[in-house]
Every structure is written in structure tokens, then in C-alpha cells.
Amino acid sequence: MRMYMLIDVPTISVTDTVSLIINDAINWTGEVVQVILGVIMIVRLHAMYQRSRKVLTVLLSLWPSELPTQ
């Protein structure tokens, strides 16, 4: 029985570029989810207040301040 059995196992090399792409995707996922949930919340509040344009204006004017910043 050979001691170095794992040498013959083919592996997928993960380069720095692939690691950066995966890292960027993981970092952006939270921000994208936050934006989508913010839009859903605005739509639900707009519907809850009988589609009032005043409420929609207030919600849309406040929404950019809640967006994630870099």
C-alpha cells in the first residue's frame, strides 16, 4: 500500500482569479438581497396605504439612504 495515495487524485486548481471572483460574488450577494427586499417592502407598504402617491414619494425618497454604501 502506498503512503502517498492522494498524489494520484485529480484535483481542480483554484487560482487567485477564481478565488477573487468567488469572494466578490459572496460579498455582492448580501447587498443584492438587501436591495431586492427593500423594493419588496416598498411595494407592500405602498399597497397597504391604498396606493397613496404621497406615501410612495416618501418611501422612494428615503430608500436610497438605506442602500449599502462602499
Side-chain angles (χ1 to χ4, degrees):
M1 185 177 223
R2 295 188 323 185
M3 294 183 67
Y4 300 106
M5 197 166 41
L6 293 177
I7 292 176
D8 297 331
V9 176
T11 58
I12 299 171
S13 105
V14 178
T15 61
D16 290 339
T17 305
V18 174
S19 296
L20 288 174
I21 291 171
I22 291 172
N23 189 26
D24 287 344
I26 290 171
N27 288 339
W28 275 93
T29 302
E31 295 177 8
V32 169
V33 168
Q34 185 177 358
V35 169
I36 291 171
L37 291 176
V39 170
I40 290 170
M41 187 181 307
I42 288 174
V43 169
R44 289 178 61 97
L45 286 170
H46 179 58
M48 188 173 81
Y49 284 100
Q50 286 80 32
R51 299 179 56 165
S52 168
R53 286 187 182 237
K54 291 179 183 179
V55 172
L56 182 62
T57 305
V58 170
L59 290 172
L60 289 177
S61 64
L62 292 175
W63 183 59
S65 65
E66 297 176 6
L67 292 177
T69 58
Q70 292 182 355

